[in-house]
Amino acid sequence: MADVLIIGAGIGGLALGLMLERAGIPCRIFEAAPEIKPLGVGINLLPHAMKELGALGLEETLAGQGVLTQKAVFFNRFGQLIHQEALGRAAGYGWPQISIHRGDLHASLVAEFVQRAGGERLLLGWQCTGAGEDGTARFRRTETGETLPPQRGSIVVGADGIHSALRKQLYPEEGEPIYSGVNMWRGVTRWPPILGGAAMIRCGWFTHAKLVIYPIRNAIDGAGRQLVNWVVEIATPRYERWNWARAGRLADFIGPVESWHFDWLDVPEFLRRADVALEYPMVDKDPLPRWSFGRMTLLGDAAHPMYPRGSNGAGQAILDARALADCLAASAEPVAALAVYEERRREATARVVRTNRSTPPDAILGEVAKRTGDQPFRSIDEVISRDELLAITDAYKRVAGYEKEKLRQ
Ligand SMILES: Cc1cc2nc3c(=O)[nH]c(=O)nc-3n(C[C@H](O)[C@H](O)[C@H](O)COP(=O)(O)OP(=O)(O)OC[C@H]3O[C@@H](n4cnc5c(N)ncnc54)[C@H](O)[C@@H]3O)c2cc1C
């Protein structure tokens, strides 16, 4: 039997590789990068993603590397508490929420795939240049540009990320990702535990500046400090093309948060002590009318890049992988399996893309900023009720597929 060709060894491609391997379906993963490097900074794995990674036997490894996040806390830009709620197991889920360095997560997925499927099934330096509806993929060697022999599979899965070559081939007129109007600076700082050391904190709003903070490694030194991930998000027309590794400059984002000296964190000091800062525009793409053409389909960011406002892009890629592996295991006819996969996942992920534009969990902050004119409040109860706040976060859980009751099924 021809194997499944997976283009891209990112989180989605590796999750698919592991799930196919578990189902006894042979696959190979072709990655353009000549070597695997730890890119990016922090990422959150919500309970729906952890359910799938746990079923692959990865919960203990990831929990050991990352931080079991216990609560979400929302503040305005004056450091006043707006809302908090429990997360992961602390909220009664059967799976944790894990905040982790994306490099740790990626390295664990690579190691697991190589161990289970064999190193020869992960090909590095193979840049896909296109694919055919007959399941053939074309490649060149990334370092030299030399043409490599085309490969034939039962299907070809484009898991090649936001700048997907396969998506470009299928939709040549689509153009670049769409800028949201918000630019992001991300980094990590070694710092003592903030608010108990297991909180995902969101503070302020884009029109001035929004800050997201969560720890991603515990006890990194003798003083018990954590590696703490942060993101500063500011509405601005100025941005550069999306790239995982663009360096960010403190001077470009420190101004709006210079006065944020809260009793729980001195924000400018915390940001000045950062080990690294990266810059990305917040971008997405419009949902596609179709993912699958003959024996070719899309998965993860190649299929549905979304704003990172719900900690959900990698999670949705992992859910895609589960659905595709299940469909391929259930049908001997790959083209029919792709149709069922697309039916299960295309509209579901389109809803997440659209909700991340309008009302992801941080919409709480936008609503409070709007009602208060982005000024301090006397009491949050005079601004918004707890039921209204919970309605926003609960609606997002339903759309993204991590409603507690549903996940138990
Ligand atoms: C700032 C930010 C914060 C985020 N935070 C979270 C979060 O907390 N939780 C969450 O779930 N998600 C988060 N995401 C989203 C998440 O990172 C992505 O959704 C996820 O990485 C998508 O995985 P993927 O495998 O589809 O794509 P990628 O991880 O982008 O992987 C694509 C792979 O394909 C390779 N490739 C590209 N082109 C080719 C080619 N032509 N041939 C061969 N290989 C190729 C690339 O080198 C790469 O290895 C965040 C995103 C951003 C930008």
Side-chain angles (χ1 to χ4, degrees):
M1 181 171 67
D3 53 3
V4 171
L5 307 184
I6 302 172
I7 311 303
I11 294 163
L14 288 162
L16 177 63
L18 284 166
M19 289 170 185
L20 291 175
E21 196 277 335
R22 178 177 62 183
I25 300 171
C27 66
R28 278 175 294 161
I29 307 182
F30 297 85
E31 166 58 46
E35 57 178 318
I36 301 283
K37 284 194 193 145
L39 287 182
V41 276
I43 192 161
N44 264 281
L45 296 166
L46 306 186
H48 56 349
M50 278 313 303
K51 179 180 180 183
E52 299 304 335
L53 296 177
L56 289 169
L58 285 165
E59 181 175 331
E60 202 180 318
T61 306
L62 300 177
Q65 294 171 323
V67 174
L68 298 176
T69 305
Q70 308 285 327
K71 60 180 177 180
V73 193
F74 298 80
F75 296 97
N76 67 5
R77 71 182 172 97
F78 305 96
Q80 293 180 290
L81 180 66
I82 292 173
H83 176 63
Q84 59 179 317
E85 63 183 66
L87 296 175
R89 284 226 163 84
Y93 283 96
W95 296 272
Q97 174 165 334
I98 297 184
S99 305
I100 189 167
H101 195 292
R102 135 183 250 112
D104 292 343
L105 169 64
H106 196 230
S108 293
L109 293 172
V110 169
E112 199 68 19
F113 181 78
V114 167
Q115 195 209 325
R116 291 191 200 179
E120 71 285 358
R121 296 202 164 264
L122 174 59
L123 293 97
L124 301 180
W126 282 63
Q127 184 184 17
C128 182
T129 53
E133 294 191 17
D134 61 352
T136 308
R138 300 180 295 281
F139 297 93
R140 67 174 164 235
R141 163 100 28 230
T142 308
E143 302 98 309
T144 59
E146 149 210 9
T147 302
L148 291 163
Q151 304 292 313
R152 180 82 181 258
S154 59
I155 58 165
V156 183
V157 183
D160 49 345
I162 192 164
H163 297 304
S164 166
L166 291 198
R167 180 168 174 144
K168 270 196 196 100
Q169 175 191 320
L170 296 172
Y171 294 94
E173 306 300 323
E174 186 183 38
E176 286 286 298
I178 307 162
Y179 181 52
S180 63
V182 172
N183 208 8
M184 304 186 287
W185 290 266
R186 310 197 78 193
V188 285
T189 304
R190 284 165 285 152
W191 200 261
I194 304 165
L195 295 179
M200 169 144 191
I201 302 166
R202 298 174 176 96
C203 183
W205 187 239
F206 305 131
T207 43
H208 183 92
K210 184 187 140 208
L211 173 67
V212 182
I213 301 175
Y214 52 89
I216 54 174
R217 277 186 201 147
N218 278 321
I220 54 167
D221 59 20
R225 288 189 300 175
Q226 294 177 307
L227 191 67
V228 182
N229 178 87
W230 52 262
V231 193
V232 177
E233 301 169 340
I234 301 177
T236 165
R238 192 196 74 77
Y239 73 101
E240 304 277 346
R241 187 177 195 255
W242 200 96
N243 163 357
W244 274 119
R246 175 181 306 288
R249 291 186 320 162
L250 188 76
D252 289 339
F253 62 89
I254 193 82
V257 298
E258 197 68 85
S259 63
W260 291 17
H261 306 287
F262 306 140
D263 54 5
W264 48 271
L265 182 67
D266 186 321
V267 173
E269 178 66 11
F270 169 79
L271 295 176
R272 285 204 166 85
R273 295 273 190 92
D275 289 349
V276 63
L278 302 167
E279 180 183 333
Y280 318 99
M282 189 186 286
V283 293
D284 69 1
K285 287 188 167 185
D286 287 330
L288 291 177
R290 190 171 161 191
W291 291 352
S292 306
F293 294 79
R295 291 173 177 263
M296 192 193 331
T297 195
L298 301 173
L299 177 147
D301 274 12
H304 47 67
M306 55 184 67
Y307 296 164
R309 287 177 61 189
S311 311
N312 236 292
Q316 296 301 321
I318 291 166
L319 298 192
D320 291 348
R322 172 65 198 271
L324 181 51
D326 284 358
C327 292
L328 289 170
S331 168
E333 185 16 74
V335 175
L338 294 190
V340 182
Y341 158 65
E342 182 164 334
E343 198 184 304
R344 283 203 202 157
R345 295 299 298 157
R346 195 167 51 75
E347 185 46 38
T349 51
R351 275 198 297 275
V352 187
V353 170
R354 287 193 288 264
T355 310
N356 279 13
R357 289 176 179 174
S358 59
T359 43
D362 70 9
I364 282 181
L365 298 171
E367 190 57 31
V368 171
K370 193 171 84 187
R371 293 188 190 187
T372 58
D374 202 15
Q375 291 303 310
F377 48 76
R378 270 185 311 183
S379 157
I380 189 62
D381 299 330
E382 292 173 7
V383 179
I384 192 164
S385 72
R386 185 165 164 78
D387 285 349
E388 283 179 279
L389 292 167
L390 284 174
I392 295 174
T393 56
D394 286 348
Y396 189 73
K397 288 172 196 156
R398 274 195 297 281
V399 169
Y402 65 103
E403 227 179 335
K404 213 178 338 180
E405 298 313 316
K406 203 158 160 240
L407 261 198
R408 284 211 186 97
Q409 293 158 15

